[in-house]
Amino acid sequence: MKKVIKSICAKIKKGYFKYSSKLVNKLVLLFSTVVLLVIVLQTLYSYQFMKAESVNHIVQSNYSNLEMVNNNIRNYLLDTERFTTPQLNYGSLMTAISEANELFASNIYIEDYIRNLFYSKKDVEAIYLHIIDNNKCIYIVRNQNINVRVNMMYQDNIQKRSWFRYLIDSGESTYLQPLVSGEEIGYTYDKNNCFLAHHRAFREISNKECKAVITVIYNTKIRDEILKDIPLGSGEKIVLSIADQPLYYSDDIYRTNLYKNALVNTESNIGNNFYNFELDSKQYMIIYNASNYMNLRLAKIIPFSEINRSAKNIMKVNLTIGLVFFAFSLVLVVFSANAISKPLKKLTKYVTAFGDGQLHKKFQVCGNDEIAGLATQFNIMITKIEMLINSEYKLKLAEKNAVLKALEAEINPHFLYNALQAISTKALKSGADDVYDMINALALIFRYCISGQDIVEIADERNHIENYLTIQKARFGDRLMVTFEIADDALNVHIPKLSIQTLVENSIKHAIELTSKPVEITIRCYVENDKFIAIVKDNGPGISEDNIEKIKQSFIEKNYSGNSIGLRNLYSRLKLIYGDKANLSVTSDNDTEICFVIPMEDNNV
């Protein structure tokens, strides 16, 4: 019923837009009058407000926001300094660095250390560990591949870099280096995506000698997420700097003049402040927050044109204007909407009645306006829906009859299975053991085939194959030899029912039935690389290349009517259950080998 109601609503909406030209004109006239009144009143009151009040409002509203965001930036930078600080494993790391050129285990330890650092933060773009004694550099760089590897190279130019000399000469442990200006640091990085490099010196505890330097290059993910908390209006910009070096600019138009004039040359006051300046004959206001941590500054640049616009926006929310707007709008909308919506309300009642199942009620069409057009469409839809409901009722009756017939048909397989059991018992009592074995195997095969399970364990499939072979060996005797090679870890794997049996049946059909010589069939099942592999191999006469191509062609043809129906059906089942992760292949050289592969990740063990 819900679908029916949704269909009705869609039809009414479609009919409304079809016949809405006159109604739209009425609504446009109404709301144009309301907007015109609001604009006139806004213009009369806008001149009463002072720009100073707008400036004060903007400054006060941005102080707390900039202070919060700048504090988050400071915490983020402090976290980058703590990120590369080894805790309890500092001694082990220094030992590995000292022995990196001699012991393979030390290299593995360093690689694991770098890899763990790399995957612990999503904004790490690259990590370089430079060992000073041998200029060996062990590094990892983020790329498009899923598996990112740790690599090694030799570099002899790192020790000439200014940041390296600073760490060595100053005795400091860390150095934060902004990359916004594209400064060369001796390592490869994405200049469009990276903004900060953090260098840390690893020193011997005893003599403070620097043995290695690790460099972590950060991309802009976390930084940009933090800066998103700053709301920006039209023309407003953000500047972020640390130690008088840029960490972020909104765009390149402020790259030189703004940085020099607005941030570097101003007084280093800690906390919130603001001032005005002129650039390219335009007036701007800068509101900033300065932190005592490395002179970290976050500034917001607002054009005075936007400040004036903000003053006008403040006037719009004035209570007096709002009340006047509400009063005039309410009077106009109430009187006008009542006249327009009265026929619509009447139509709504009929729609509601229809939703409650009263299909016999139809809307009385009066006039020739848009509402009359909607009513006509509504009556047409009622007629069509009555026809659809009657049709659906007949379909449900037919469906119930089909279910009853299916239940009746289900009785026959169980009757046949019980009859086979009775015959096998009679054969056993008569001393016909071979007949008993064959009939019992056939009964078990039949029971296995009619069971409701579509996915079974390897062990169940093997028992079924053994029952199947009991009957086949009665036909072929010693000419049929079968060997099972099932790995222990594959016994509990779940596979589609009759999948391996299909391969065995194919080998019997195309091998032993075509020759008088003995044929050996080998069934192998094992798990490898998170995949289950089943192989059925025989030493029969083989399959020609032409027939193999026909088999492969049958897998992809929609209306195939040749041989290899069993393999084609198995291939379709595997693809339906596992998708492109499953495969079925046929090869024939000295021996014929049929193999199917399914993924273990989707296996319901």
Side-chain angles (χ1 to χ4, degrees):
M1 185 60 69
K2 291 182 178 179
K3 293 183 178 179
V4 174
I5 295 175
K6 288 182 179 179
S7 176
I8 293 173
C9 294
K11 292 289 187 180
I12 291 176
K13 186 176 180 181
K14 182 178 179 182
Y16 170 80
F17 283 110
K18 183 177 180 180
Y19 301 99
S20 64
S21 59
K22 295 180 180 180
L23 184 59
V24 167
N25 291 336
K26 296 177 183 178
L27 294 175
V28 168
L29 178 62
L30 169 64
F31 291 114
S32 296
T33 304
V34 174
V35 172
L36 180 60
L37 289 174
V38 172
I39 293 175
V40 170
L41 293 174
Q42 175 188 357
T43 304
L44 293 175
Y45 283 92
S46 63
Y47 295 105
Q48 306 301 322
F49 291 90
M50 300 176 61
K51 293 182 180 180
E53 293 180 358
S54 299
V55 170
N56 182 64
H57 173 77
I58 291 173
V59 169
Q60 295 302 324
S61 63
N62 280 282
Y63 271 170
S64 58
N65 179 254
L66 292 177
E67 183 177 359
M68 178 196 70
V69 175
N70 200 27
N71 187 57
N72 292 339
I73 292 289
R74 181 182 67 85
N75 293 337
Y76 172 70
L77 295 177
L78 288 172
D79 183 64
T80 61
E81 290 192 289
R82 292 190 293 265
F83 177 62
T84 55
T85 304
Q87 302 296 326
L88 300 177
N89 60 346
Y90 187 81
S92 301
L93 178 61
M94 294 304 299
T95 301
I97 291 174
S98 301
E99 299 173 351
N101 201 35
E102 301 174 0
L103 298 179
F104 178 76
S106 297
N107 287 321
I108 297 299
Y109 183 91
I110 295 173
E111 291 181 7
D112 290 340
Y113 174 76
I114 292 177
R115 189 181 293 107
N116 290 335
L117 284 179
F118 181 81
Y119 283 108
S120 64
K121 294 189 71 175
K122 66 179 181 179
D123 60 331
V124 173
E125 193 70 16
I127 299 179
Y128 293 87
L129 178 65
H130 180 78
I131 301 177
I132 297 176
D133 291 340
N134 53 14
N135 288 325
K136 179 188 290 186
C137 182
I138 302 174
Y139 66 97
I140 184 171
V141 178
R142 193 177 301 278
N143 52 42
Q144 299 299 323
N145 297 326
I146 298 177
N147 297 320
V148 181
R149 298 188 303 173
V150 179
N151 302 288
M152 190 272 290
M153 64 179 176
Y154 289 91
Q155 278 190 305
D156 56 358
N157 63 337
I158 296 302
Q159 301 182 22
K160 300 177 183 179
R161 299 292 174 179
S162 59
W163 61 265
F164 183 89
R165 299 313 315 165
Y166 171 82
L167 290 176
I168 298 299
D169 298 337
S170 67
E172 295 288 338
S173 297
T174 63
Y175 179 65
L176 288 175
Q177 184 177 12
L179 302 176
V180 175
S181 59
E183 181 178 351
E184 296 292 334
I185 62 174
Y187 298 123
T188 301
Y189 66 93
D190 185 0
K191 296 182 179 180
N192 295 324
N193 191 38
C194 299
F195 82 104
L196 180 68
H198 175 246
H199 311 284
R200 173 175 291 278
F202 291 150
R203 303 178 186 274
E204 291 285 359
I205 298 178
S206 59
N207 56 13
K208 303 300 181 182
E209 180 183 0
C210 184
K211 288 296 185 180
V213 177
I214 189 170
T215 298
V216 181
I217 300 177
Y218 292 90
N219 59 41
T220 61
K221 288 183 179 178
I222 303 299
R223 182 203 69 182
D224 292 346
E225 287 179 5
I226 297 175
L227 292 178
K228 284 181 180 178
D229 291 334
I230 303 177
L232 293 177
S234 177
E236 296 179 355
K237 308 295 179 183
I238 299 176
V239 176
L240 176 66
S241 67
I242 184 172
D244 295 337
Q245 297 186 57
L247 283 178
Y248 176 80
Y249 284 118
S250 286
D251 54 35
D252 292 337
I253 192 171
Y254 296 96
R255 182 173 294 277
T256 303
N257 295 334
L258 181 60
Y259 183 74
K260 293 181 179 179
N261 299 328
L263 294 180
V264 178
N265 296 330
T266 57
E267 295 180 0
S268 299
N269 296 327
I270 303 302
N272 297 316
N273 209 337
F274 78 97
Y275 61 93
N276 303 329
F277 79 102
E278 183 177 350
L279 177 66
D280 296 334
S281 301
K282 295 181 180 180
Q283 294 293 326
Y284 296 88
M285 172 188 289
I286 286 188
I287 307 173
Y288 70 91
N289 176 267
S291 171
N292 55 7
Y293 171 72
M294 297 185 69
N295 195 22
L296 178 63
R297 290 194 173 200
L298 177 62
K300 185 174 182 180
I301 298 91
I302 307 175
F304 264 92
S305 59
E306 293 302 315
I307 294 175
N308 296 335
R309 186 177 292 112
S310 298
K312 296 178 181 178
N313 291 333
I314 293 174
M315 291 182 287
K316 294 181 181 179
V317 298
N318 183 274
L319 180 59
T320 304
I321 298 177
L323 292 175
V324 173
F325 174 80
F326 176 78
F328 279 94
S329 299
L330 183 61
V331 172
L332 292 174
V333 169
V334 167
F335 282 99
S336 301
N338 283 336
I340 297 174
S341 62
K342 187 176 181 180
L344 289 175
K345 291 180 180 179
K346 187 177 180 182
L347 178 59
T348 302
K349 291 182 179 179
Y350 280 88
V351 173
T352 303
F354 174 77
D356 293 335
Q358 301 178 23
L359 304 181
H360 60 281
K361 287 190 175 182
K362 294 188 179 182
F363 190 84
Q364 298 297 323
V365 180
C366 298
N368 57 357
D369 59 359
E370 293 85 357
I371 305 301
L374 289 175
T376 301
Q377 293 296 321
F378 174 73
N379 292 334
I380 293 174
M381 283 187 292
I382 288 179
T383 303
K384 291 184 177 179
I385 290 171
E386 286 180 342
M387 295 173 61
L388 289 174
I389 290 176
N390 292 332
S391 177
E392 184 178 358
Y393 177 75
K394 293 178 180 179
L395 288 176
K396 286 185 177 181
L397 289 177
E399 181 181 355
K400 289 182 179 179
N401 292 332
V403 170
L404 290 174
K405 290 184 178 297
L407 292 175
E408 293 173 358
E410 191 175 330
I411 297 174
N412 295 331
H414 291 287
F415 171 77
L416 182 58
Y417 170 73
N418 294 332
L420 289 173
Q421 289 283 28
I423 296 172
S424 65
T425 302
K426 187 71 174 178
L428 182 63
K429 291 180 179 180
S430 302
D433 293 343
D434 55 346
V435 176
Y436 168 78
D437 291 338
M438 291 176 62
I439 296 176
N440 189 55
L442 180 59
L444 292 175
I445 290 173
F446 193 73
R447 183 176 185 179
Y448 181 77
C449 292
I450 67 173
S451 66
Q453 293 180 326
D454 294 326
I455 303 297
V456 297
E457 291 186 353
I458 291 293
D460 296 332
E461 183 77 358
R462 174 174 178 166
N463 293 336
H464 167 70
I465 294 173
E466 288 177 345
N467 293 326
Y468 172 77
L469 292 174
T470 298
I471 297 175
Q472 294 296 339
K473 286 182 178 180
R475 294 175 58 198
F476 303 108
D478 295 337
R479 289 175 53 213
L480 176 60
M481 296 172 288
V482 180
T483 303
F484 288 90
E485 297 178 3
I486 301 177
D488 293 338
D489 58 352
L491 289 174
N492 293 327
V493 174
H494 288 69
I495 63 173
K497 184 171 65 176
L498 302 176
S499 54
I500 300 178
Q501 189 264 345
T502 301
L503 304 185
V504 175
E505 182 179 355
N506 188 80
S507 295
I508 292 176
K509 179 179 180 180
H510 294 284
I512 193 169
E513 289 184 358
L514 300 180
T515 181
S516 59
K517 298 180 181 179
V519 174
E520 182 177 358
I521 298 175
T522 302
I523 303 171
R524 291 182 58 206
C525 299
Y526 58 95
V527 177
E528 182 178 271
N529 295 331
D530 292 330
K531 294 181 179 180
F532 171 76
I533 302 173
I535 300 174
V536 175
K537 182 175 68 173
D538 66 74
N539 59 353
I543 305 175
S544 64
E545 290 292 334
D546 292 341
N547 287 334
I548 290 178
E549 289 300 322
K550 291 180 180 178
I551 293 173
K552 292 180 179 179
Q553 190 67 25
S554 70
F555 292 165
I556 59 176
E557 287 186 2
K558 293 184 178 180
N559 299 318
Y560 181 76
S561 59
N563 295 325
S564 304
I565 297 299
L567 293 180
R568 170 186 166 84
N569 291 341
L570 176 59
Y571 178 84
S572 300
R573 290 175 63 202
L574 294 177
K575 290 297 182 180
L576 286 173
I577 298 174
Y578 304 102
D580 293 335
K581 297 179 181 179
N583 191 31
L584 175 64
S585 61
V586 181
T587 59
S588 182
D589 191 3
N590 295 328
D591 296 331
T592 299
E593 188 174 284
I594 307 176
C595 167
F596 74 80
V597 180
I598 60 175
M600 289 294 294
E601 61 187 44
D602 298 329
N603 202 271
N604 187 18
V605 178

